[in-house]
Amino acid sequence: MSSKSALIVSAHAADFVWRAGGAIALHAKKGYDVTVICLSYGERGESAKLWKQEGMDLETVKVARRKEAEAAAKALDVHDIQFFDLGDYPLDLSSEARDRLVDSIRAVQPSFMVSHSLWDPYNTDHMNTTRFVLEARMVAQAWGHNPGEKVLGAPQLYLFEPHQTEQMGWKPDTFLDITEVWEKKRAAIECMQGQEHLWDFYTNVAKNRANHFRRNSGGQAGGRKAEYAEGFQSMFPRTVDEL
Amino acid sequence: MSSKSALIVSAHAADFVWRAGGAIALHAKKGYDVTVICLSYGERGESAKLWKQEGMDLETVKVARRKEAEAAAKALDVHDIQFFDLGDYPLDLSSEARDRLVDSIRAVQPSFMVSHSLWDPYNTDHMNTTRFVLEARMVAQAWGHNPGEKVLGAPQLYLFEPHQTEQMGWKPDTFLDITEVWEKKRAAIECMQGQEHLWDFYTNVAKNRANHFRRNSGGQAGGRKAEYAEGFQSMFPRTVDEL
Amino acid sequence: MSSKSALIVSAHAADFVWRAGGAIALHAKKGYDVTVICLSYGERGESAKLWKQEGMDLETVKVARRKEAEAAAKALDVHDIQFFDLGDYPLDLSSEARDRLVDSIRAVQPSFMVSHSLWDPYNTDHMNTTRFVLEARMVAQAWGHNPGEKVLGAPQLYLFEPHQTEQMGWKPDTFLDITEVWEKKRAAIECMQGQEHLWDFYTNVAKNRANHFRRNSGGQAGGRKAEYAEGFQSMFPRTVDEL
Amino acid sequence: MSSKSALIVSAHAADFVWRAGGAIALHAKKGYDVTVICLSYGERGESAKLWKQEGMDLETVKVARRKEAEAAAKALDVHDIQFFDLGDYPLDLSSEARDRLVDSIRAVQPSFMVSHSLWDPYNTDHMNTTRFVLEARMVAQAWGHNPGEKVLGAPQLYLFEPHQTEQMGWKPDTFLDITEVWEKKRAAIECMQGQEHLWDFYTNVAKNRANHFRRNSGGQAGGRKAEYAEGFQSMFPRTVDEL
Amino acid sequence: MSSKSALIVSAHAADFVWRAGGAIALHAKKGYDVTVICLSYGERGESAKLWKQEGMDLETVKVARRKEAEAAAKALDVHDIQFFDLGDYPLDLSSEARDRLVDSIRAVQPSFMVSHSLWDPYNTDHMNTTRFVLEARMVAQAWGHNPGEKVLGAPQLYLFEPHQTEQMGWKPDTFLDITEVWEKKRAAIECMQGQEHLWDFYTNVAKNRANHFRRNSGGQAGGRKAEYAEGFQSMFPRTVDEL
Amino acid sequence: MSSKSALIVSAHAADFVWRAGGAIALHAKKGYDVTVICLSYGERGESAKLWKQEGMDLETVKVARRKEAEAAAKALDVHDIQFFDLGDYPLDLSSEARDRLVDSIRAVQPSFMVSHSLWDPYNTDHMNTTRFVLEARMVAQAWGHNPGEKVLGAPQLYLFEPHQTEQMGWKPDTFLDITEVWEKKRAAIECMQGQEHLWDFYTNVAKNRANHFRRNSGGQAGGRKAEYAEGFQSMFPRTVDEL
């Protein structure tokens, strides 16, 4: 496998779109194979619009949500999307699920991983996912887990932007210019038929993060003209050859 | 001015050596013009060995400290070293001193700046320097300060490693491999005749930070074989094209 | 159901008395239906006085603790008190227990909820309860959980005052004047026969929190003459029409 | 003076508009006399567009900035706007300036005050203003300062929304629905001719904060339909009669 | 000088009584020479009761406050009490005042120092005092400050208990049993005629801190029977021979 | 049992050596019975060198790791070493394991306990162990857990030094001089044949922590000449008779 790869772990089916859609499309464009894992469809907790319909049932919701997520993944040029179907609100994060995630991590051998914020009092699925990813990352690094497999190195784990960032204690240390793939992100966003109330919200976020990008890349004295951006918080230190 | 440049602001004459000597030598080697500003000589507070000599006086200490700092700067291939002579323990951080620092910042137009940690209950000079640098950086960005001069962009401010890192609330997010310039850093360290008790301390730091470098660049599964490293904390977010 | 309602979730049988007894009695007086859920009786960990008696057994302790809690609830005009009997030290917070809590939350439809601090290294039951309540609150909001039931809105979760507040990282942002119901709270406190050593402790707390109330409501220049108060930390932001 | 009053302290001439314009207009509509104090015009640091004009000088910038601020204040129905003209980048926060601020605070006797975030590494004027306001508030409460004057009570100090909230460690605990005065805020924003690049930025902020308002006031299950909102962080605890 | 010594730095005349009176009396009893420095009399900001009297003037308030403080110091067996008379609300912390404090520190050569919390948004004098003490401690350690004098070692700086501890971010890590000197502390408290409203408040504090002492010294299984205690936060790490 | 005792809980077989070997040997020398509990052998995650050998299997790794740990324990004069064999990466922290730990705690009746840092994103086993220890400590204090047994008092829980301290949010508040037992610690370290790359790393740590010891015990003006030290963070406040 010669290309670079990245792995996004999303608690519910739509999270990867709002929060990292630009990063996904941009890295796909750069030649990365980007894999998305949705731990659940968000079928119980993030599908209010569907449940308000008469006679709705769980299976129908899951199918609808999966279709949306697959369409969004396609719009973003995702290499592979996996649905773990662990249930939601709350997620059932068993040791079997963890080993499955470890298998995926080792298969992908990501250059970097992306998941949720460390804290989310509104949605414990989100913060439990991050803990779960940290644990799986650790197991994937263990030489004694499925000996003979290629162990994981030490990829960065980026935490993508949560809703209500300040309540989550999330602080971005990295802004990514997604201007050149914005149309793809907007297209993916529009696949989320059940959450139309968030389309403009996350468009505003992307525009305002671009303002932050400009401020930090030079400001009035030559900041780059990014029009859309995404923010990420790094879990681990970077190792560099030049500051 | 076509080359890149960097600016280090050191509260006392020796701080830049222990804490950023590797970064200085490495960037000099990469073609950066590195300027070091020492706000004081550390003549009162960091020259105990000299003061223990019979009949010592302030001017003699300052001269001795300056010589050491100049020798260290030379060993590190510093482009320019400036001594603001503001007094130490405590520093006298006047508005005149600030404007002088602004002038230097604008003259250098650094790609990045480096200074102290945000908190230091042992040494208020250190944390006051960081505040002072933040203020000067802001003034240097103001179009109305000395109109007509080239204003500053938005360079990163790295906080170099303080003594007793955990007491200072300092958390490195960037490890720099300084292996190829280690000999220069050690030579600069040995210029600090008055603080020989710290030579091995900071050699140990460099070796152990290299262990951290390796852990974060791949660990047992291929981390780079850095032998000496330095850690830095970033004050501002990065702006990037690729995660 | 036309009246307002509130829900208190207490890890052990007595917690709601010391920490929120005033809030309970006051809101009952204002016409709220206040429901208290005790996840355990505190039978193993908070009944030392009983266990020091010859021949004591678990069932006897539980009965005694339940009686005390019921008496206290009556003194505070609690609308309904529920005992989940999950065991204590540690609590057994199963998914069944969580669904039971979700049922109660949905049945009560509280205007606000009250529970423990986020951190408690002395007593992991306390902090685990808060996490458990956050998870149940999230599930109660899910349209796909028991479809057809009335889903929960977004009630505030107040964290009541822990023992040794500073060790718990608890910071009150709301002081409630409980002067007019103090006699009820003291009566409830005195129902806790097994923990008489805490009666005066929590009376002192109430008096000192009233001092804080006065400081924050106007100080020497007209602070309200509250004599007894309780403090609470809010988990979520408030939404208001006037500052 | 029978009406209620509020006091906003703005480091530079435009800060009060972007960050608290809605709160100002809303409380004016509710009958509050709202006073705004601009410590400087932002003449050196926040007037890049003017300085890029040929032959610009400080006095001209100050006049232009003052006109914009006065126009914005009028659009927001500000009762009184005061310009302390302390210089900017950096502010000159002398003891005379502090006593002047104390005089204004005592004259206004505000029900609440509003100022900047506690931390801002990009702009030390902002955080220095907050410290300065805390100090002036303390002096205004002192019975021995200008004895005989009416001393200040204990008004809340709200910290309005900074730029790049997460970098400032700012966490809103209060969302204010400003829908009914949005047109006024937008009109005030458009008075800021020199910073047109921020008009849409702060419109996006207001829309997205309304989303947060809805999430916290009931969410999908009946959150109020706020369309524009502002967020604030409280410095002090609230004192209440009902949770 | 063979006896041990301690130094308390109090922003206003009464602070040392409420917050460290027990520690003072206890260490005096153990043979320490305890010196108290009051930076101000609290004449403007903490003497409301006096200022409410007809025709009061600053000098009269200062005299009254000084008498109270001296009486309290006597009750606590203070070795020496010094009044720096720097003014209050706000304190005027000049470089002359700092050098005077350095002189006192060097003269006392304290085994430990005690002062205020690091943060206090209600009272900037308090937190400014702590910064001032840290700076003076640093200068007192400088071999080049008044060469020939005995330099300071590295005494612990304890932060005594502020009012409204949680708002100040103060977290005690040390509880001191003051039972055997409680009567002295109460007597000193009663010297504070102008602040009678705080007598019972701080008696409650002492009783409740004793509960915390018992909890941390063994709890129900043999915690020491302290009846009165004080809490302190350490600024620096301890150095020990046994855990 | 008349001697004092201490209990160290180590997630993996080698952790107690690197992080608390000096404290163990020193307290053994002082007459403490020191018990070490290894929750796992670190067989999967911390035995890379063994797994790189052809044909390695889990049982062989566990035996090898156990031998190393036993040899190290002997070198440190450990009184008793217990292997819980819970598996690693991740640990299986069941309620049975917890009750077993409670039994050990009660049997040992430690004067103090030692375990891992509260946070470790690299290794969730470490932070899960600390939570597990806090829970077991709480259960061991419960009079209703195995009534009739001697309940636990309130021993301090020290958190030993993690790898990459700043990433773990670990802040030492206690430095222990281990100079007199350094040879024993180095001997124990050299028992860890599989992790030779860490021998010098932790020797450097011990030397540099001794520098910190000296800084905090008197500095240039008489700090004790410790040559090797270990740092610890306290979970709970101390209770003292003298500051």
Side-chain angles (χ1 to χ4, degrees):
Chain A
M1 184 183 65
S2 62
S3 70
K4 288 183 179 175
S5 58
L7 179 64
I8 284 76
V9 183
S10 181
H12 312 107
D15 291 326
F16 73 93
V17 180
W18 317 113
R19 309 180 189 300
I24 292 169
L26 185 68
H27 286 83
K29 192 172 176 186
K30 288 180 189 297
Y32 282 71
D33 284 343
V34 182
T35 296
V36 172
I37 293 174
C38 295
L39 298 181
S40 78
Y41 299 105
E43 62 270 20
R44 293 179 7 127
E46 306 199 342
S47 307
K49 194 173 167 187
L50 288 167
W51 286 108
K52 289 177 183 175
Q53 295 173 25
E54 193 77 24
M56 187 53 57
D57 64 87
L58 199 65
E59 204 47 44
T60 305
V61 174
K62 286 163 75 167
V63 168
R65 294 286 287 175
R66 180 178 182 130
K67 279 187 188 160
E68 285 182 3
E70 286 174 332
K74 193 173 172 189
L76 297 170
D77 297 324
V78 162
H79 174 72
D80 183 27
I81 183 163
Q82 301 175 16
F83 298 95
F84 276 25
D85 195 13
L86 303 178
D88 74 322
Y89 282 59
L91 292 166
D92 180 11
L93 299 169
S94 65
S95 57
E96 290 71 28
R98 187 196 61 236
D99 284 346
R100 189 174 166 195
L101 179 55
V102 173
D103 289 345
S104 290
I105 292 173
R106 285 195 167 177
V108 170
Q109 293 284 335
S111 300
F112 63 87
M113 301 170 69
V114 186
S115 196
H116 292 262
S117 62
L118 283 170
W119 174 245
D120 189 337
Y122 294 85
N123 195 314
T124 56
D125 281 2
H126 291 165
M127 58 183 168
N128 291 344
T129 292
T130 317
R131 275 284 186 120
F132 182 69
V133 169
L134 286 173
E135 188 154 292
R137 181 182 182 272
M138 173 187 78
V139 175
Q141 292 173 326
W143 288 75
H145 178 81
N146 295 344
E149 285 187 4
K150 179 166 164 44
V151 301
L152 183 68
Q156 181 60 272
L157 174 62
Y158 290 105
L159 312 182
F160 51 44
E161 176 160 347
H163 208 82
Q164 300 198 65
T165 59
E166 302 94 355
Q167 307 303 320
M168 312 313 174
W170 177 85
K171 180 181 172 184
D173 53 43
T174 308
F175 289 113
L176 181 71
D177 183 352
I178 62 165
T179 308
E180 61 179 294
V181 295
W182 169 251
E183 293 308 322
K184 285 177 187 286
K185 177 163 182 178
R186 177 72 195 195
I189 282 175
E190 294 187 9
C191 295
M192 298 293 114
Q193 292 295 326
Q195 292 161 295
E196 194 170 345
H197 61 291
L198 291 176
W199 295 7
D200 285 351
F201 182 91
Y202 280 104
T203 300
N204 289 346
V205 166
K207 286 179 179 168
N208 282 14
R209 290 298 176 196
N211 172 288
H212 298 172
F213 187 103
R214 295 191 301 267
R215 288 280 173 114
N216 286 293
S217 68
Q220 298 265 6
R224 176 137 58 118
K225 293 287 170 279
E227 288 173 57
Y228 298 92
E230 285 177 346
F232 297 91
Q233 178 179 327
S234 308
M235 175 76 5
F236 302 102
R238 292 188 302 139
T239 53
V240 302
D241 293 314
E242 186 171 343
L243 292 176
Chain B
M1 185 182 65
S2 62
S3 71
K4 289 183 180 176
S5 59
L7 178 64
I8 285 74
V9 184
S10 183
H12 312 106
D15 291 328
F16 73 93
V17 180
W18 317 112
R19 309 180 189 301
I24 292 168
L26 186 68
H27 286 82
K29 193 172 176 186
K30 287 180 189 297
Y32 281 72
D33 285 343
V34 182
T35 296
V36 172
I37 293 174
C38 295
L39 298 182
S40 78
Y41 298 104
E43 61 270 21
R44 294 178 7 126
E46 307 199 341
S47 307
K49 196 174 165 186
L50 288 166
W51 285 107
K52 291 177 185 175
Q53 295 172 24
E54 193 76 24
M56 187 54 56
D57 64 88
L58 199 65
E59 203 48 43
T60 306
V61 175
K62 285 163 74 167
V63 168
R65 293 286 287 175
R66 181 178 181 130
K67 279 187 190 160
E68 285 182 3
E70 286 173 332
K74 192 173 173 190
L76 297 170
D77 298 324
V78 162
H79 174 72
D80 184 28
I81 183 163
Q82 302 175 17
F83 298 94
F84 276 25
D85 195 14
L86 303 178
D88 74 322
Y89 283 60
L91 293 166
D92 180 11
L93 300 169
S94 65
S95 57
E96 290 71 28
R98 187 197 61 237
D99 284 346
R100 188 173 166 196
L101 180 55
V102 172
D103 288 346
S104 290
I105 293 173
R106 284 194 167 177
V108 171
Q109 292 284 334
S111 301
F112 62 88
M113 301 170 69
V114 185
S115 197
H116 291 262
S117 62
L118 284 169
W119 173 245
D120 189 336
Y122 294 84
N123 194 315
T124 56
D125 281 1
H126 291 165
M127 58 182 169
N128 291 344
T129 293
T130 316
R131 275 283 187 121
F132 182 68
V133 169
L134 286 172
E135 188 154 291
R137 181 183 182 271
M138 174 187 79
V139 175
Q141 293 173 327
W143 288 75
H145 178 81
N146 295 345
E149 285 187 5
K150 179 166 165 46
V151 302
L152 183 70
Q156 180 60 273
L157 174 62
Y158 289 105
L159 312 181
F160 50 45
E161 176 160 347
H163 207 83
Q164 299 198 65
T165 59
E166 304 93 354
Q167 307 303 321
M168 312 313 175
W170 177 85
K171 181 183 172 183
D173 53 43
T174 308
F175 289 114
L176 180 72
D177 183 353
I178 61 165
T179 308
E180 61 178 294
V181 295
W182 170 251
E183 292 308 322
K184 287 176 187 285
K185 177 163 182 178
R186 179 71 197 196
I189 283 175
E190 294 186 9
C191 296
M192 298 293 115
Q193 291 296 327
Q195 292 161 295
E196 193 169 346
H197 61 290
L198 291 176
W199 295 5
D200 284 352
F201 183 90
Y202 280 105
T203 300
N204 288 346
V205 166
K207 286 179 180 168
N208 282 14
R209 290 299 177 196
N211 172 288
H212 298 172
F213 187 103
R214 296 190 299 269
R215 287 282 173 112
N216 286 292
S217 68
Q220 299 266 5
R224 177 142 51 123
K225 292 288 170 277
E227 288 173 57
Y228 300 91
E230 285 177 346
F232 298 91
Q233 178 179 327
S234 309
M235 177 78 359
F236 302 103
R238 293 188 302 139
T239 54
V240 303
D241 293 314
E242 187 170 343
L243 292 176
Chain C
M1 185 183 62
S2 62
S3 71
K4 290 183 179 176
S5 58
L7 179 65
I8 285 75
V9 183
S10 182
H12 312 106
D15 291 326
F16 73 93
V17 180
W18 318 112
R19 308 179 190 300
I24 292 168
L26 185 69
H27 286 83
K29 192 171 175 187
K30 288 180 188 296
Y32 282 72
D33 285 344
V34 182
T35 296
V36 172
I37 293 174
C38 295
L39 298 182
S40 78
Y41 298 104
E43 62 269 20
R44 295 180 4 128
E46 307 198 341
S47 307
K49 194 173 166 186
L50 289 166
W51 285 107
K52 290 176 182 174
Q53 296 172 24
E54 193 78 23
M56 187 54 57
D57 64 87
L58 199 65
E59 203 49 43
T60 305
V61 174
K62 287 163 73 168
V63 168
R65 293 287 286 175
R66 179 177 182 133
K67 278 189 188 159
E68 285 182 3
E70 287 173 333
K74 192 172 172 190
L76 297 170
D77 297 324
V78 163
H79 174 72
D80 183 27
I81 183 163
Q82 301 175 17
F83 297 95
F84 276 25
D85 196 12
L86 303 178
D88 75 321
Y89 282 59
L91 293 166
D92 181 12
L93 300 169
S94 65
S95 57
E96 290 71 29
R98 188 197 60 236
D99 284 347
R100 188 173 166 196
L101 179 55
V102 173
D103 289 345
S104 290
I105 291 173
R106 285 194 166 177
V108 170
Q109 292 284 334
S111 300
F112 62 87
M113 301 169 69
V114 185
S115 196
H116 292 262
S117 62
L118 283 170
W119 174 245
D120 190 336
Y122 294 84
N123 195 314
T124 55
D125 281 1
H126 291 165
M127 58 183 168
N128 291 344
T129 292
T130 316
R131 274 285 186 118
F132 182 68
V133 169
L134 286 173
E135 187 155 292
R137 181 183 181 271
M138 173 187 78
V139 175
Q141 292 173 326
W143 288 75
H145 178 80
N146 295 345
E149 284 187 5
K150 180 165 164 43
V151 301
L152 183 69
Q156 181 60 272
L157 174 63
Y158 290 105
L159 312 182
F160 51 45
E161 176 159 348
H163 208 82
Q164 299 198 64
T165 57
E166 302 94 354
Q167 307 303 322
M168 312 313 174
W170 177 86
K171 180 182 172 184
D173 54 42
T174 308
F175 289 113
L176 181 71
D177 183 352
I178 62 165
T179 308
E180 61 179 292
V181 295
W182 170 252
E183 292 308 323
K184 287 176 185 287
K185 178 163 182 177
R186 178 73 196 195
I189 282 175
E190 294 186 9
C191 294
M192 299 293 115
Q193 292 295 327
Q195 292 161 294
E196 193 170 345
H197 61 290
L198 291 176
W199 295 6
D200 285 350
F201 182 91
Y202 280 105
T203 300
N204 288 346
V205 166
K207 286 179 180 169
N208 282 14
R209 290 299 176 195
N211 171 289
H212 298 172
F213 187 102
R214 295 192 300 269
R215 287 279 172 114
N216 286 292
S217 68
Q220 299 265 7
R224 177 139 56 119
K225 293 287 171 278
E227 289 173 56
Y228 298 91
E230 285 177 346
F232 298 91
Q233 178 179 327
S234 308
M235 175 77 4
F236 302 103
R238 294 189 301 139
T239 53
V240 303
D241 293 314
E242 187 170 343
L243 291 176
Chain D
M1 184 183 62
S2 63
S3 71
K4 289 184 181 175
S5 58
L7 178 65
I8 284 76
V9 183
S10 182
H12 311 106
D15 291 328
F16 73 93
V17 180
W18 317 112
R19 308 180 188 301
I24 292 168
L26 186 68
H27 287 82
K29 192 172 175 187
K30 287 180 190 297
Y32 282 72
D33 284 343
V34 182
T35 295
V36 172
I37 293 173
C38 295
L39 299 182
S40 79
Y41 299 104
E43 62 269 22
R44 295 181 2 128
E46 307 198 342
S47 307
K49 195 174 166 185
L50 288 166
W51 286 107
K52 290 176 184 174
Q53 295 173 25
E54 194 77 24
M56 187 53 56
D57 64 88
L58 199 65
E59 203 48 43
T60 306
V61 174
K62 285 163 74 167
V63 168
R65 292 287 287 173
R66 181 177 181 131
K67 278 188 187 158
E68 285 182 3
E70 286 174 332
K74 192 173 173 191
L76 296 171
D77 298 324
V78 163
H79 174 72
D80 183 27
I81 183 162
Q82 302 174 16
F83 298 93
F84 276 25
D85 195 13
L86 304 177
D88 74 321
Y89 283 60
L91 293 166
D92 180 12
L93 299 170
S94 65
S95 57
E96 290 71 29
R98 187 197 61 236
D99 284 346
R100 188 173 168 197
L101 179 55
V102 173
D103 288 346
S104 289
I105 292 173
R106 284 195 167 176
V108 170
Q109 291 285 333
S111 300
F112 62 88
M113 300 169 70
V114 186
S115 196
H116 292 261
S117 61
L118 283 169
W119 174 245
D120 189 337
Y122 294 85
N123 195 314
T124 56
D125 281 0
H126 291 164
M127 57 182 169
N128 290 344
T129 293
T130 316
R131 275 284 186 119
F132 182 68
V133 169
L134 286 172
E135 188 155 291
R137 181 182 182 271
M138 174 187 78
V139 176
Q141 292 173 326
W143 288 74
H145 178 81
N146 295 345
E149 284 186 6
K150 179 166 164 43
V151 302
L152 183 69
Q156 181 60 272
L157 174 62
Y158 289 105
L159 311 181
F160 51 45
E161 176 159 347
H163 208 82
Q164 300 198 65
T165 58
E166 303 93 355
Q167 307 303 321
M168 312 314 174
W170 177 86
K171 181 182 171 183
D173 53 42
T174 307
F175 289 113
L176 180 72
D177 183 352
I178 61 164
T179 308
E180 60 179 295
V181 295
W182 170 251
E183 293 308 323
K184 287 177 186 286
K185 177 164 182 177
R186 178 72 196 195
I189 283 175
E190 294 187 7
C191 296
M192 298 294 114
Q193 291 295 327
Q195 292 161 295
E196 194 170 345
H197 61 290
L198 291 176
W199 295 7
D200 284 351
F201 183 91
Y202 280 105
T203 300
N204 289 347
V205 166
K207 286 179 179 168
N208 282 15
R209 290 298 176 196
N211 172 289
H212 298 170
F213 187 103
R214 296 191 300 269
R215 287 281 173 113
N216 287 292
S217 68
Q220 299 265 4
R224 178 144 50 125
K225 293 288 170 278
E227 289 174 57
Y228 299 92
E230 285 177 345
F232 298 92
Q233 179 179 327
S234 308
M235 176 76 4
F236 301 103
R238 292 189 302 140
T239 53
V240 303
D241 292 315
E242 186 171 345
L243 291 176
Chain E
M1 184 184 64
S2 62
S3 71
K4 289 184 180 176
S5 59
L7 179 65
I8 285 74
V9 183
S10 182
H12 312 106
D15 291 327
F16 73 93
V17 181
W18 317 112
R19 308 181 189 300
I24 292 168
L26 186 67
H27 287 81
K29 192 173 175 185
K30 288 180 189 297
Y32 282 73
D33 285 344
V34 182
T35 295
V36 172
I37 292 173
C38 295
L39 299 181
S40 78
Y41 298 105
E43 62 269 20
R44 295 180 3 127
E46 306 200 342
S47 307
K49 195 174 167 186
L50 288 166
W51 285 108
K52 290 177 183 175
Q53 296 172 25
E54 193 77 23
M56 186 54 56
D57 64 86
L58 198 65
E59 204 47 44
T60 306
V61 174
K62 285 163 74 167
V63 168
R65 293 287 286 174
R66 181 178 181 130
K67 279 188 188 159
E68 286 182 5
E70 286 173 333
K74 192 174 174 190
L76 297 170
D77 297 324
V78 163
H79 174 72
D80 183 27
I81 183 163
Q82 301 174 17
F83 298 95
F84 276 25
D85 195 13
L86 303 178
D88 75 321
Y89 282 61
L91 293 166
D92 181 10
L93 299 169
S94 65
S95 57
E96 290 71 29
R98 187 197 60 237
D99 284 345
R100 188 174 166 195
L101 180 55
V102 172
D103 289 345
S104 290
I105 292 173
R106 285 195 167 176
V108 170
Q109 292 285 334
S111 299
F112 63 87
M113 301 169 70
V114 186
S115 197
H116 292 263
S117 62
L118 283 169
W119 174 245
D120 190 337
Y122 293 85
N123 194 314
T124 56
D125 281 1
H126 291 164
M127 56 183 169
N128 291 344
T129 292
T130 316
R131 275 283 186 120
F132 182 68
V133 169
L134 286 172
E135 190 155 290
R137 181 183 182 272
M138 174 187 77
V139 175
Q141 293 173 327
W143 288 75
H145 177 81
N146 295 344
E149 285 186 5
K150 180 167 163 44
V151 301
L152 183 69
Q156 181 59 273
L157 174 62
Y158 290 106
L159 312 181
F160 51 44
E161 176 159 347
H163 207 82
Q164 299 198 65
T165 59
E166 302 94 355
Q167 307 303 321
M168 311 314 174
W170 177 86
K171 181 183 172 183
D173 52 44
T174 307
F175 289 113
L176 181 72
D177 184 352
I178 61 164
T179 307
E180 59 177 297
V181 295
W182 170 250
E183 293 308 322
K184 287 177 186 285
K185 177 164 182 176
R186 179 71 196 196
I189 283 176
E190 294 187 9
C191 296
M192 299 292 115
Q193 292 295 327
Q195 292 162 294
E196 194 170 345
H197 61 291
L198 291 176
W199 295 6
D200 285 352
F201 183 90
Y202 280 105
T203 300
N204 288 347
V205 166
K207 287 179 180 168
N208 282 15
R209 290 299 177 195
N211 172 289
H212 298 171
F213 187 102
R214 295 191 300 268
R215 287 282 172 112
N216 286 292
S217 67
Q220 298 265 5
R224 176 137 57 118
K225 292 289 170 276
E227 289 173 58
Y228 299 91
E230 285 177 346
F232 297 91
Q233 179 180 326
S234 309
M235 176 76 2
F236 302 104
R238 293 188 301 139
T239 53
V240 302
D241 293 314
E242 186 171 344
L243 291 176
Chain F
M1 186 183 61
S2 62
S3 70
K4 290 183 180 176
S5 58
L7 179 64
I8 285 75
V9 183
S10 182
H12 312 106
D15 291 326
F16 73 94
V17 181
W18 318 112
R19 308 181 189 301
I24 292 168
L26 186 69
H27 286 83
K29 193 173 176 186
K30 288 180 189 297
Y32 282 72
D33 285 343
V34 182
T35 296
V36 172
I37 293 174
C38 295
L39 299 182
S40 78
Y41 299 104
E43 62 268 22
R44 295 182 2 129
E46 306 198 342
S47 307
K49 195 174 166 186
L50 288 166
W51 285 108
K52 290 176 183 175
Q53 296 172 24
E54 192 79 23
M56 187 53 57
D57 64 88
L58 198 66
E59 204 48 43
T60 306
V61 175
K62 286 163 74 167
V63 168
R65 294 286 287 174
R66 180 178 183 131
K67 279 187 188 160
E68 286 182 1
E70 287 173 333
K74 193 173 172 190
L76 297 170
D77 297 323
V78 163
H79 174 71
D80 183 27
I81 183 163
Q82 300 175 17
F83 297 94
F84 277 25
D85 195 13
L86 303 178
D88 74 321
Y89 282 59
L91 293 166
D92 180 12
L93 299 169
S94 65
S95 56
E96 291 71 29
R98 188 196 59 236
D99 284 346
R100 189 173 166 195
L101 179 56
V102 172
D103 289 346
S104 290
I105 292 173
R106 285 194 167 177
V108 171
Q109 293 284 333
S111 301
F112 63 87
M113 300 169 69
V114 186
S115 196
H116 292 262
S117 61
L118 283 170
W119 174 245
D120 190 337
Y122 294 84
N123 194 315
T124 56
D125 281 2
H126 291 165
M127 59 184 167
N128 291 344
T129 292
T130 316
R131 275 285 186 118
F132 182 67
V133 169
L134 286 173
E135 188 154 292
R137 181 182 182 272
M138 173 187 79
V139 175
Q141 293 173 325
W143 289 75
H145 178 79
N146 294 345
E149 285 186 5
K150 179 166 164 44
V151 301
L152 184 69
Q156 181 59 272
L157 174 63
Y158 289 105
L159 312 182
F160 51 44
E161 175 159 348
H163 208 82
Q164 300 198 62
T165 58
E166 303 94 354
Q167 307 303 322
M168 312 314 174
W170 178 86
K171 180 182 172 183
D173 53 43
T174 308
F175 288 113
L176 181 72
D177 184 352
I178 61 165
T179 308
E180 61 178 293
V181 295
W182 169 250
E183 293 308 321
K184 287 177 185 284
K185 178 163 181 178
R186 178 71 196 196
I189 282 175
E190 294 186 9
C191 295
M192 298 294 115
Q193 292 296 326
Q195 291 161 296
E196 195 171 343
H197 62 290
L198 291 176
W199 295 7
D200 285 351
F201 182 91
Y202 280 105
T203 300
N204 289 346
V205 166
K207 287 178 179 168
N208 282 14
R209 289 300 177 195
N211 172 288
H212 298 172
F213 187 103
R214 296 191 300 268
R215 287 279 173 113
N216 287 291
S217 68
Q220 299 266 6
R224 178 145 48 126
K225 293 288 171 277
E227 289 172 57
Y228 299 91
E230 284 177 346
F232 298 91
Q233 178 179 327
S234 308
M235 175 77 3
F236 301 104
R238 293 188 302 140
T239 54
V240 302
D241 292 315
E242 187 172 343
L243 291 176

